[in-house]
């Protein structure tokens, strides 16, 4: 099977899948490397990742039509992004926990929510990283630590002084609680998210 492949700065060429694969393999590898950089300590096995992207390359070739006037590289780009999503989705999913995670879970009595601080218009896959970290933080914050989390997330609204006054302790004691809680979260994130023990 041969298809007419459109290029942005070159004339159209009739190519087999093997010819297309050879021509666009560098684009595929570059996409894989960029996506894998997000996972510093637990990158996805490159052979598996490449296989997923090569399936998307085949689908792009099979479904592509030069009659639409779209360059093949543009059409392939979106297929590769789908492949990246498929290859990396398990890194973001909440495996077998049966828990519904919500960014609008209240952090304190004033109905201050995690989404108020972490709100972002980014609907890309990168936002899943934020959601996974948010989930990890919420799951490891007890009820009496929620005020400490509020201080870490928004020091201007939730001050150490107001926390100290509310609980009848010194500012230094309140600050020590914040530092202890921060170290706890750092250790959890290092172990459970980054894979550093």
């Amino acid at each position: 099977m041969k298809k007419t492949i459109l290029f942005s700065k070159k004339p159209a060429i009739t190519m087999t899948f093997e010819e297309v694969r050879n021509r666009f393999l560098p684009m595929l590898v570059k996409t894989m490397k960029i996506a894998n950089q997000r996972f510093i300590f637990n990158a996805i096995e490159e052979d598996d990742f490449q296989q997923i992207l090569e399936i998307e390359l085949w689908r792009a070739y099979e479904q592509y039509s030069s009659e639409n006037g779209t360059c093949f590289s543009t059409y392939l780009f979106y297929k590769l992004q789908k492949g990246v999503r498929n290859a990396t989705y398990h890194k973001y999913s909440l495996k077998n926990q049966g828990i519904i995670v919500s960014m609008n879970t209240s952090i304190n009595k004033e109905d201050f929510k995690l989404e108020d601080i972490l709100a972002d218009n980014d609907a890309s896959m990168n936002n899943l990283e934020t959601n996974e970290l948010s989930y990890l933080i919420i799951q490891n914050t007890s009820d009496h630590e929620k005020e400490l989390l509020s201080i870490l997330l928004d020091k201007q609204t939730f001050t150490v002084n107001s926390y100290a006054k509310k609980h009848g302790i010194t500012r230094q004691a309140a600050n020590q609680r914040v530092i202890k809680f921060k170290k706890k979260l750092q250790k959890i994130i290092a172990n459970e998210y980054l894979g550093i023990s």
Side-chain angles (χ1 to χ4, degrees):
M1 174 170 78
K2 286 194 169 191
K3 285 200 167 189
T4 302
I5 304 297
L6 299 181
F7 296 91
S8 59
K9 297 179 181 176
K10 295 181 180 179
I13 304 173
T14 303
M15 303 174 79
T16 65
F17 172 70
E18 277 305 312
E19 291 169 330
V20 167
R21 182 187 176 276
N22 291 338
R23 182 124 185 188
F24 290 95
L25 193 59
M27 180 179 174
L28 187 146
V29 171
K30 183 179 178 184
T31 301
M32 175 182 65
K33 299 277 187 193
I34 290 169
N36 238 350
Q37 285 175 357
R38 289 187 238 150
F39 308 105
I40 301 167
F41 299 103
N42 57 349
I44 297 163
E45 179 63 41
E46 287 194 354
D47 289 341
D48 295 339
F49 204 156
Q50 184 169 334
Q51 186 176 24
I52 290 168
L53 294 184
E54 288 206 39
I55 290 169
E56 291 304 323
L57 175 59
W58 165 252
R59 287 180 180 151
Y61 179 78
E62 190 178 42
Q63 296 168 7
Y64 177 74
S65 173
S66 59
E67 292 174 10
N68 294 334
T70 306
C71 293
F72 184 77
S73 58
T74 303
Y75 189 75
L76 176 60
F77 173 80
Y78 292 104
K79 290 289 187 182
L80 292 179
Q81 293 309 304
K82 181 183 173 203
V84 168
R85 185 199 67 204
N86 292 342
T88 61
Y89 184 75
H90 71 280
K91 296 280 187 184
Y92 302 108
S93 64
L94 305 173
K95 300 176 191 170
N96 304 318
Q97 296 189 24
I99 299 169
I100 298 172
V101 180
S102 176
M103 291 290 286
N104 60 8
T105 302
S106 293
I107 295 175
N108 57 25
K109 292 176 185 173
E110 285 79 32
D111 228 15
F112 190 74
K113 297 175 177 61
L114 197 57
E115 70 182 355
D116 296 334
I117 292 173
L118 300 175
D120 191 355
N121 292 329
D122 181 11
S124 69
M125 289 300 290
N126 291 338
N127 203 34
L128 288 174
E129 289 177 337
T130 303
N131 291 344
E132 184 180 24
L133 277 172
S134 301
Y135 171 76
L136 191 62
I137 290 167
I138 290 169
Q139 288 303 109
N140 288 284
T141 301
S142 64
D143 288 341
H144 71 275
E145 290 173 326
K146 286 183 179 177
E147 288 177 271
L148 299 173
L149 179 59
S150 298
I151 293 169
L152 287 177
L153 295 173
D154 187 4
K155 289 181 181 179
Q156 292 183 353
T157 307
F158 305 98
T159 65
V160 172
N161 282 337
S162 60
Y163 178 86
K165 286 177 187 174
K166 180 179 178 182
H167 293 281
I169 58 175
T170 65
R171 186 185 179 285
Q172 290 81 6
N175 207 37
Q176 285 302 313
R177 288 185 187 180
V178 172
I179 291 168
K180 184 178 176 184
F181 177 65
K182 184 177 180 180
K183 286 181 179 177
K184 170 191 163 182
L185 289 181
Q186 286 172 337
K187 187 175 181 181
I188 289 166
I189 289 168
N191 290 338
E192 296 183 33
Y193 184 75
L194 298 176
I196 306 171
S197 48

